[in-house]
Amino acid sequence: MMQRIRTLFAAILIAALACSAVAGQKTAGGGKAPTPSEFLGFEVGADRKLADYRQISSYFKALAAPSDRVQIEILGKTTLGEEMIMAILSTPENLRNKAKYQDIAHKLADPRGLSPQQVDALARDGKTILLITCNIHSTEIGSSQMAMEWAYHLATAQDAETLKRLNDSIVLLVPSLNPDGETMVTEWYRKYLGTKYEGGPMPYLYHHYVGHDDNRDWFMLTQIETKNVNHMVYHEWYPQFWLDEHQMGYTGPRIYIPPNADPVAKLVNPLVHRGNNLMGADMGWRLEEAGKSGVIFGYSFDAYWPGGTRNTGWWKNMFGVLTEVASARIATPMEISATELQGGTKGLIAYEQQINFPNPWPGGTWRLRDIMDYELIISDAALETVSKFRQELLHGVASMAAYAVKSADAAEYWRIPLEGQRDPIEASRLAALLLEHGVEVRLAPDKKSVLVATAQPYGRFVDEMLGIQRYPEVRPAAGSGILEPYDVAAWSLPLLMGVKAERVRISPAEQQGSTLLQSAPWPAGGLTGTGKYFSVAGRQNNTFALANAMQKAGGEVYVAHAANEPPVVVFAAHPQLQENAAKLHVLLNAHADLPARAERLKAVRIGLYKPYIPSMDEGWTRFILEQYGFPMKNIENKEVKAGNLNASYDVIILPDTSRGVIVDGKQRAEGYAEEMPPEYTGGIGKEGVKALRDFVENGGTLITLANSSAVALGEDFNLPVRNVFGSGESARGTQATSINIPGSLLRVYVDTNHPVGYGMPQEIAAFFDAPIAFETSPPAPDVTRTVIAWYPEDSKDILVSGYARGAERLERKAAVVSFTKGKGKVVMFGFRVQFRAQTEGTFLMLFNAIRWAGM
Ligand SMILES: [Zn+2]
C-alpha cells in the first residue's frame, strides 16, 4: 500500500515538474518560479496538510529550473535509497563563482601560511556560507515545509535588503536531514487523518536504524545521512555558520534560541558562542518585533555535548546554532490551556516571566502554520546576521583556526599505534574516522603508528575526541544539585573503540619524516601460506564478520580455546576465504591440520525483539548485526506470545528498553498514554514472558541489553540475581543520595576465560547510562551462574571518562552475568555493550554471547 501511494505521487509530481520545466526559463530573480502551494496544489502550512519528501524535493527542482538564484546539489543517497538534496541559494553572480567562494571558505578554515593581509583580503572578498538544516527529527516536520516557502522567497524577492543579503552570503538549505523519516511520518499522518489516532505516535523508528538518535551520530558518523552531510561540510563547503532547526514539546516556551544553557565545553573557542549569541539576539529581536511571544534562551540545551549536527563543528571553529519551536500534533492544531503550560527544566523552572523569557506565550491554539512562521522569521534573521557580520564572521573563523594552531604545542601529538593493539582494525578505523572529520592525520616515518597533531585548525576537536571527559559541576544555586548534561557525558573515542592512543611529545625528526595520510592505513588482510585450515586470534570484531561471511558462503568455522589465551578462530580452506579476509583486513595463518580442541561453530538463528513503542537500541543493534553480517530477524509481540520460539531461533536479543514497554506495551505504569491502533497495542504479556522462559529451558539463549534485563529478573525466570538499584531509579538522579552517571565510561574487569569474555582485555572501559548492576547469589544445583564482568572494589577506580556520582554503589557489583538453566542460557549486560554503535571496544562481548549460543 505504502509503495503504491508513493508511486502514484511520484507520477503526479513528474508530470507537474515537466510542466514547470517547459514553462520555465532561467530568469534573473525569476517571476516564473511557482510558489510551493501552486506547485503542490494545496496550501502549504495549512491545517492537516503536509508535503512528503518526494513532493519537497520535486518542488525544489521546479524552483531551481527557472531561477538563476537556486541550484540543487545531491548530497548522496539515504539509507532507503532516497536522493538527499540541498538547495544552494545566492545571487546569480555568486553562484557562477561558487568554486571561488568554496575555496575562500576552505582557506579561512585553515589559514596556515596566510599573512594577516591575505586573511583580511579573503574576509573582504568572501561570502558567508550559511548552512540551514531542517527536519533531522522527522516528526519535527515544520521546517521541511517552511524550507520550500523560504526558498521561494529568496528566489523571487526583489527588495534591496534581501538582494543585499544574498549578495553577501551563500545559503545551503537542506530541507530534510532525514528524507526517509519525512516520508514515514507523512505517510503515517495521512493514513490516520480523521481518526482518533490523527497526529499520534508511530509504532516504528523514524529512521530505518536509529530513529531520534540520528542526531547523536555526528562524531561517530555511522549512518549514511550523517556521512553525506559531514562530507559536504568538512570537505566541500566549509560553512562558517550552521543553523539546525528543530521542534520541542508543546507545553513550554514557543521557541528556544541561543544563548545555550550551561555547562559550556572547555575546549570550544569562546568566539563561537559570541557569534551564536549575535544570531540569537537578532532572532529574538525579529520575533518580538513581529509580535511572536514565548521566546526563550539559556534553556535546556547545553553548550557542552558534541554529538549533534552543529555542535560537532564548534570544536572545528564553526558557529552553530540550534533552534527549537514548540510542536503541534504534526499538522493538526492543538489547544494548550494556560494551566497546562509548564517549565520544569534548566533555564525555566516555573513557567513565568524571566529575563531569558520576557514575553511568555499565554496559551491557546498552536498549529503547523505558527511553527513555520516562527521558523521563517529565524531563518531570515540568520541570513540577516551572516550578511551584516559577514567580514567579522569570516575573520572570526580564520582567527579561531589560527588560535587553535598557535595555542597548542607544535611537538604535542596523539600517537595511535598500528601495532600492538588488541584489535588493529579498530586503530585504523579511528584514523579513518578522523580523516572523515577533516582532521589532518599523519603516518609516522616507521609506519608503525599514526600521528595526529594537536597544533592544527581542528586540534581542539582532536583533543576533545581523543582525550577523556570530566563533566563540569555547575550548580544554579549554592547547595543545589548540578546541572545535568543534555545528553551523555563521555565520548572519548580511543576508550569507546578499545584503541590505545597516547598524547606524546615527538621529535622534530619524526614530525618531518611523517607523511600526510589521504586514506586510512588498513592492515593487510588475506591468507599467509597454504594449508587446509587458516586461523587468527579471536580478538578482533572483524573475525565475526569473516566468520559470518564464510558461514553464509557454506564455509566451515571452528573455535579453539586454551585457558588464559584468546580463542583461535579457524576457517577451513574455501574459494572465497582470501577475498573476504582481504576485504575485512583480517590476516589468517595457514595450518595443515585442524588445531587441537577446535569446535565446529554452528550458525545461529538470531531473533531481535522489536517493540511497538520504538526502541532506538533495537535499531542500533539491528544496524550493528547487519554491519557484521549476522543473519537476523526481527521478532514482534505476536510471535513471542505464540511461543515455540526454539523452532525458529537459537538466540533472542531483548534490546535496551523498559520491562513495561516489552511486557505491557506501556512506557509508564501510570498516567495518560495515547492509544495506538489495535494492531500496535500491548506487549508480549505474561504469556510472552513464559514463552521466553520456555525458550531458555528448551535450549535457547536469551541476551538482555541493559534495562530489558528486568524481564528476566522477574519471578517468572526465578534466577539467583537482582538489580541492586531495583527498578524505579534513574541513572540521571539529581539528589545527593542517588546515583548520577548520565552516560559515562566506567572501569570493568572481565573474566576472559568465559566464552562471553573471550578475546577481551581483562580491564575495559564500559559505557554506563542506566542504573543496573547485578548481585547474584549461590544457586541450587539445577542453575549455574557466572559473573562475567564486574566493577572495581574501590569507587575511586570506577570512573574513566565522564561523570559519576554515587559510584560507590557499584563497588564489587556485577556488570555482566550469565546463567544456564534447563538446556539454555541467559546473558545479561548491565552496561551498554553496543551503545549507538559507538562502543566498538565492547562489541566483541555481544558477538561472543551470540556465538556462545552455538557452542
Ligand atoms: Zn529535534
Side-chain angles (χ1 to χ4, degrees):
M1 186 64 179
M2 276 187 198
Q3 196 50 51
R4 218 194 53 200
I5 293 176
R6 243 186 250 174
T7 319
L8 183 63
F9 274 117
I12 294 169
L13 286 168
I14 289 163
L17 184 57
C19 293
S20 63
V22 172
Q25 214 180 340
K26 292 264 177 190
T27 54
K32 292 196 182 77
T35 69
S37 297
E38 280 164 11
F39 180 78
L40 296 173
F42 64 85
E43 195 192 332
V44 172
D47 290 350
R48 299 183 172 79
K49 295 285 185 201
L50 283 179
D52 60 35
Y53 188 72
R54 292 271 171 90
Q55 290 176 306
I56 294 168
S57 74
S58 303
Y59 174 71
F60 271 95
K61 288 172 188 171
L63 180 68
S67 172
D68 53 7
R69 292 188 201 167
V70 188
Q71 291 179 1
I72 303 295
E73 195 173 299
I74 308 297
L75 297 174
K77 287 282 167 79
T78 66
T79 302
L80 299 180
E82 192 68 70
E83 226 174 42
M84 206 173 172
I85 65 158
M86 175 172 86
I88 308 169
L89 298 128
S90 193
T91 61
E93 162 98 34
N94 289 349
L95 290 180
R96 270 195 299 279
N97 293 304
K98 104 188 149 175
K100 172 179 143 191
Y101 296 119
Q102 283 173 282
D103 185 54
I104 292 178
H106 189 188
K107 287 191 171 124
L108 291 170
D110 181 0
R112 285 175 294 181
L114 298 178
S115 68
Q117 293 74 20
Q118 285 171 312
V119 170
D120 287 346
L122 290 172
R124 191 186 60 231
D125 298 342
K127 306 293 176 187
T128 27
I129 297 171
L130 169 65
L131 169 63
I132 300 188
T133 51
C134 304
N135 187 236
I136 187 167
H137 294 142
S138 316
T139 49
E140 301 165 12
I141 203 141
S143 57
S144 68
Q145 315 291 301
M146 175 282 298
M148 295 186 283
E149 289 185 344
W150 194 55
Y152 175 78
H153 160 69
L154 295 183
T156 57
Q158 296 298 344
D159 63 288
E161 177 59 25
T162 307
L163 294 176
K164 178 195 176 293
R165 292 177 189 177
L166 286 174
N167 183 48
D168 286 333
S169 333
I170 297 174
V171 176
L172 309 177
L173 178 61
V174 182
S176 176
L177 280 175
N178 178 13
D180 300 338
E182 213 278 350
T183 304
M184 292 180 208
V185 167
T186 309
E187 282 178 352
W188 180 261
Y189 181 78
R190 287 173 180 162
K191 184 173 173 187
Y192 288 101
L193 206 57
T195 73
K196 67 174 174 177
Y197 309 115
E198 179 177 313
M202 298 200 310
Y204 41 82
L205 296 167
Y206 56 58
H207 175 280
H208 182 65
Y209 291 116
V210 304
H212 201 77
D213 272 354
D214 57 359
N215 200 28
R216 310 286 180 259
D217 191 42
W218 293 83
F219 60 80
M220 205 66 194
L221 308 178
T222 67
Q223 301 301 305
I224 187 73
E225 294 84 0
T226 327
K227 285 175 181 288
N228 290 341
V229 174
N230 179 80
H231 185 82
M232 179 274 290
V233 171
Y234 301 111
H235 294 271
E236 289 174 354
W237 276 98
Y238 309 92
Q240 291 85 27
F241 226 121
W242 187 338
L243 165 61
D244 192 33
E245 302 199 17
H246 288 243
Q247 287 171 220
M248 54 186 176
Y250 37 74
T251 55
R254 295 300 93 187
I255 185 170
Y256 157 79
I257 55 173
N260 286 68
D262 270 312
V264 59
K266 205 170 167 180
L267 294 177
V268 171
N269 193 304
L271 206 57
V272 166
H273 302 301
R274 298 299 178 190
N276 294 349
N277 298 351
L278 275 179
M279 185 176 278
D282 193 47
M283 287 173 169
W285 173 265
R286 293 299 178 201
L287 286 161
E288 295 294 347
E289 194 185 47
K292 304 295 183 196
S293 60
V295 181
I296 195 165
F297 67 84
Y299 172 73
S300 193
F301 309 98
D302 70 31
Y304 184 71
W305 163 74
T309 49
R310 72 284 148 198
N311 310 33
T312 316
W314 291 344
W315 282 261
K316 300 181 187 175
N317 315 308
M318 186 192 291
F319 303 98
V321 160
L322 164 76
T323 57
E324 300 262 358
V325 181
S327 295
R329 288 181 64 83
I330 311 293
T332 302
M334 294 187 87
E335 287 294 326
I336 310 287
S337 147
T339 59
E340 286 162 357
L341 290 166
Q342 48 186 274
T345 180
K346 187 156 60 181
L348 189 73
I349 300 309
Y351 192 89
E352 279 169 0
Q353 189 180 33
Q354 303 181 162
I355 191 61
N356 64 333
F357 190 50
N359 181 15
W361 185 67
T365 309
W366 189 252
R367 45 171 40 101
L368 178 62
R369 188 66 256 171
D370 294 314
I371 298 168
M372 292 166 62
D373 287 345
Y374 276 60
E375 288 173 339
L376 284 167
I377 293 169
I378 57 166
S379 301
D380 260 335
L383 182 55
E384 179 179 22
T385 305
V386 302
S387 159
K388 228 178 226 172
F389 293 98
R390 180 182 64 86
Q391 291 211 43
E392 288 85 348
L393 294 171
L394 295 185
H395 229 282
V397 165
S399 67
M400 288 190 283
Y403 186 75
V405 177
K406 193 176 67 188
S407 60
D409 184 332
E412 289 273 337
Y413 279 69
W414 284 91
R415 183 192 298 278
I416 306 169
L418 295 170
E419 294 178 359
Q421 299 275 5
R422 167 177 60 98
D423 187 341
I425 300 167
E426 287 296 326
S428 299
R429 207 191 293 282
L430 176 53
L433 177 57
L434 293 171
L435 286 168
E436 221 176 330
H437 271 295
V439 169
E440 242 174 47
V441 181
R442 310 183 78 89
L443 189 63
D446 65 4
K447 300 189 170 32
K448 287 182 181 167
S449 60
V450 151
L451 298 169
V452 189
T454 58
Q456 63 171 305
Y458 292 177
R460 300 295 182 94
F461 176 77
V462 170
D463 270 337
E464 185 69 35
M465 298 316 301
L466 299 186
I468 61 165
Q469 281 74 50
R470 283 288 174 262
Y471 186 70
E473 293 202 322
V474 179
R475 294 171 199 277
S480 72
I482 64 156
L483 292 177
E484 285 186 63
Y486 177 70
D487 194 73
V488 301
W491 37 83
S492 325
L493 291 174
L495 293 172
L496 284 169
M497 299 172 82
V499 171
K500 280 184 230 158
E502 246 189 319
R503 205 172 190 278
V504 292
R505 293 184 69 81
I506 70 167
S507 68
E510 193 170 11
Q511 281 180 57
Q512 279 147 25
S514 67
T515 47
L516 263 183
L517 283 171
Q518 302 301 325
S519 61
W522 296 105
L527 311 181
T528 54
T530 51
K532 278 176 28 200
Y533 296 94
F534 296 87
S535 77
V536 61
R539 284 189 298 234
Q540 305 170 33
N541 291 339
N542 270 13
T543 54
F544 279 93
L546 185 58
N548 289 328
M550 292 318 299
Q551 284 185 326
K552 197 176 164 202
E556 291 169 16
V557 184
Y558 302 80
V559 175
H561 184 252
N564 303 318
E565 276 178 36
V568 177
V569 184
V570 184
F571 299 85
H574 187 282
Q576 288 173 34
L577 188 58
Q578 158 67 26
E579 192 195 329
N580 282 331
K583 202 169 64 192
L584 292 164
H585 319 293
V586 177
L587 194 64
L588 300 173
N589 296 308
H591 300 262
D593 301 300
L594 195 61
R597 294 180 314 276
E599 266 183 83
R600 176 85 185 264
L601 208 62
K602 222 171 64 181
V604 291
R605 302 162 301 166
I606 304 167
L608 174 63
Y609 173 70
K610 186 178 186 181
Y612 292 139
I613 294 176
S615 153
M616 287 180 276
D617 195 56
E618 179 279 318
W620 283 115
T621 310
R622 180 160 36 86
F623 172 73
I624 293 162
L625 294 181
E626 285 181 15
Q627 291 290 302
Y628 284 89
F630 286 92
M632 179 223 50
K633 254 186 68 187
N634 268 129
I635 167 167
E636 298 186 2
N637 292 333
K638 211 171 131 190
E639 193 180 352
V640 180
K641 278 179 167 176
N644 191 23
L645 295 164
N646 302 79
S648 312
Y649 305 100
D650 303 299
V651 184
I652 291 177
I653 303 175
L654 300 181
D656 174 50
T657 189
S658 71
R659 181 185 163 95
V661 165
I662 298 172
V663 179
D664 306 318
K666 281 187 185 157
Q667 198 78 259
R668 290 177 300 269
E670 289 167 11
Y672 177 68
E674 273 186 44
E675 252 179 72
M676 295 288 285
E679 62 271 37
Y680 302 114
T681 300
I684 64 172
K686 269 205 131 349
E687 64 268 49
V689 178
K690 184 180 172 300
L692 289 174
R693 191 196 60 198
D694 292 346
F695 169 73
V696 171
E697 304 241 324
N698 294 327
T701 296
L702 180 68
I703 300 174
T704 67
L705 303 179
N707 283 296
S708 70
S709 59
V711 173
L713 289 171
E715 55 192 51
D716 317 80
F717 276 76
N718 189 30
L719 294 170
V721 58
R722 65 179 200 101
N723 176 5
V724 298
F725 295 100
S727 56
E729 220 166 331
S730 161
R732 289 175 166 265
T734 44
Q735 286 139 29
T737 52
S738 67
I739 180 171
N740 188 354
I741 307 180
S744 298
L745 286 156
L746 306 186
R747 183 171 285 106
V748 167
Y749 300 117
V750 179
D751 174 2
T752 57
N753 281 318
H754 188 280
V756 176
Y758 277 1
M760 292 294 293
Q762 276 162 349
E763 187 184 315
I764 62 169
F767 198 87
F768 184 98
D769 77 343
I772 299 161
F774 303 111
E775 201 168 64
T776 56
S777 45
D782 65 323
V783 174
T784 64
R785 55 85 185 82
T786 311
V787 173
I788 299 167
W790 59 95
Y791 293 99
E793 253 178 54
D794 186 338
S795 63
K796 288 201 302 292
D797 299 329
I798 291 179
L799 179 67
V800 185
S801 182
Y803 183 71
R805 204 183 51 236
E808 54 282 357
R809 294 179 68 187
L810 295 174
E811 286 173 356
R812 238 164 28 87
K813 295 292 181 275
V816 182
V817 290
S818 76
F819 305 88
T820 57
K821 187 175 161 66
K823 293 185 227 152
K825 302 162 189 147
V826 178
V827 182
M828 297 182 187
F829 288 98
F831 59 77
R832 305 293 304 275
V833 68
Q834 45 32 303
F835 183 68
R836 293 178 181 166
Q838 292 167 3
T839 57
E840 294 182 10
T842 54
F843 282 5
L844 202 67
M845 295 184 79
L846 175 63
F847 299 166
N848 278 339
I850 293 170
R851 181 171 65 190
W852 192 34
M855 289 169 75

